[in-house]
Amino acid sequence: MKYIAELAVILGFTLLGELVRLAVPLPVPAGIYGLLLLFLSLLLGIVKLGQVSHTGHYLLEVMIVMFIAPGVGIVKNWGLLSTVLLPYCAIVLISTVAVMAVTGLVAQRLMKKGEK
C-alpha cells in the first residue's frame, strides 16, 4: 500500500506538470515541469523524502526497461537512420564536448570564487 501512495504522489506531480504545460506557452516537456514542482516541494518541505523514496528508487532501478522500445525502433528503422548517422554522431560529439568544456570552466570559476 505504501508503494501505491508514493506512486500517487509522483503521478500527481506528473499531472501538475501536464497542467502547467497547458498553461505556460513554452516548449518545455510536461515531465520537466513535474520534476521541478516535485523538487521544489521537496526543498520546501511540502513533500517529505520518505513519501516518495521507495518508489523513486524502484523507478530508477527499472529505468533501463524504458529504453527497450526506442532501441527496437532504432534497429527497425536502421535503413532510414544509416543515411543520417554520421551527421547525428558529429552533432552528439560536438555538443557533448561543448557541455563538458562549459561545465569544467564554470566549475573552475566557482572553485576559484570559493577560495577567495
Side-chain angles (χ1 to χ4, degrees):
M1 191 68 170
K2 180 179 182 176
Y3 288 102
I4 294 173
E6 290 183 12
L7 185 62
V9 171
I10 293 171
L11 292 177
F13 279 97
T14 303
L15 176 64
L16 285 174
E18 289 287 343
L19 296 174
V20 171
R21 184 187 61 82
L22 293 173
V24 178
L26 293 175
V28 177
I32 301 298
Y33 286 127
L35 285 172
L36 286 174
L37 290 171
L38 180 58
F39 178 67
L40 289 173
S41 297
L42 286 165
L43 283 179
L44 297 173
I46 297 168
V47 174
K48 304 292 185 232
L49 185 59
Q51 293 176 296
V52 293
S53 64
H54 291 88
T55 301
H57 286 292
Y58 173 74
L59 291 173
L60 283 174
E61 289 176 7
V62 299
M63 184 185 295
I64 191 67
V65 175
M66 305 302 173
F67 291 100
I68 292 174
V72 170
I74 288 172
V75 171
K76 184 178 177 184
N77 295 308
W78 182 252
L80 295 171
L81 294 174
S82 63
T83 59
V84 294
L85 186 62
L86 187 60
Y88 280 176
C89 287
I91 291 169
V92 168
L93 182 67
I94 292 168
S95 62
T96 300
V97 169
V99 168
M100 290 174 63
V102 169
T103 303
L105 292 172
V106 169
Q108 284 179 346
R109 288 189 187 214
L110 289 174
M111 289 171 62
K112 285 180 184 176
K113 189 176 182 180
E115 291 174 357
K116 292 182 181 181

